[in-house]
Amino acid sequence: MIDALRLKTTAERQLKVFDQSILQDYLHVIELTELDQIDAQRLVASLQTNRRARRQIKDLKIILSALAKSFDVQQFLNILLSEPSLGSQYYFRDQAAAAQIKEMIH
């Protein structure tokens, strides 16, 4: 989940690329090129593909933003770190078994 929250910044950067670079390139081509020189069908199809890709990134960013606003990362980490059975740490329940097993470990 924490890794997913880190993607929020990446999604925001990608949205800026779509909005500030890619879209502007398309708009400048339309602005500065004579219409009879443009393959309009290809241009519109390409623009549509780019806008759909942008929409997917925007939707992901919205979900990640909502998650980040409703999720306390520090509290989550504190709970994880306080969980004794997490990871490779084990606490013996039976002391006699513990003593016997510890003798077998080098």
Side-chain angles (χ1 to χ4, degrees):
M1 185 172 305
I2 293 170
D3 287 340
L5 289 173
R6 289 185 184 127
L7 289 176
K8 182 176 167 283
T9 304
T10 302
E12 289 169 348
R13 275 195 303 260
Q14 287 179 332
L15 273 178
K16 284 183 182 179
V17 169
F18 275 100
D19 292 339
Q20 295 175 358
S21 298
I22 296 172
L23 178 60
Q24 290 303 310
D25 288 344
Y26 279 90
L27 293 176
H28 282 114
V29 165
I30 293 168
E31 174 187 2
L32 302 172
T33 307
E34 296 298 323
L35 289 178
D36 61 354
Q37 295 178 323
I38 297 174
D39 183 340
Q41 188 170 356
R42 280 184 59 201
L43 183 73
V44 170
S46 180
L47 181 59
Q48 182 182 55
T49 299
N50 279 286
R51 297 302 292 177
R52 286 180 176 170
R54 180 195 177 277
R55 171 56 60 189
Q56 288 179 336
I57 293 168
K58 183 178 180 182
D59 290 348
L60 175 63
K61 183 193 146 295
I62 290 168
I63 291 167
L64 293 174
S65 293
L67 181 61
K69 288 176 184 175
S70 65
F71 182 71
D72 185 341
V73 175
Q74 192 57 52
Q75 181 181 4
F76 179 74
L77 290 174
N78 289 341
I79 291 168
L80 282 180
L81 293 174
S82 68
E83 181 58 49
S85 64
L86 183 66
S88 61
Q89 197 173 35
Y90 181 77
Y91 294 98
F92 290 98
R93 297 177 185 170
D94 183 271
Q95 295 309 312
Q100 218 175 16
I101 292 169
K102 285 180 182 179
E103 288 179 13
M104 295 179 227
I105 299 174
H106 299 276

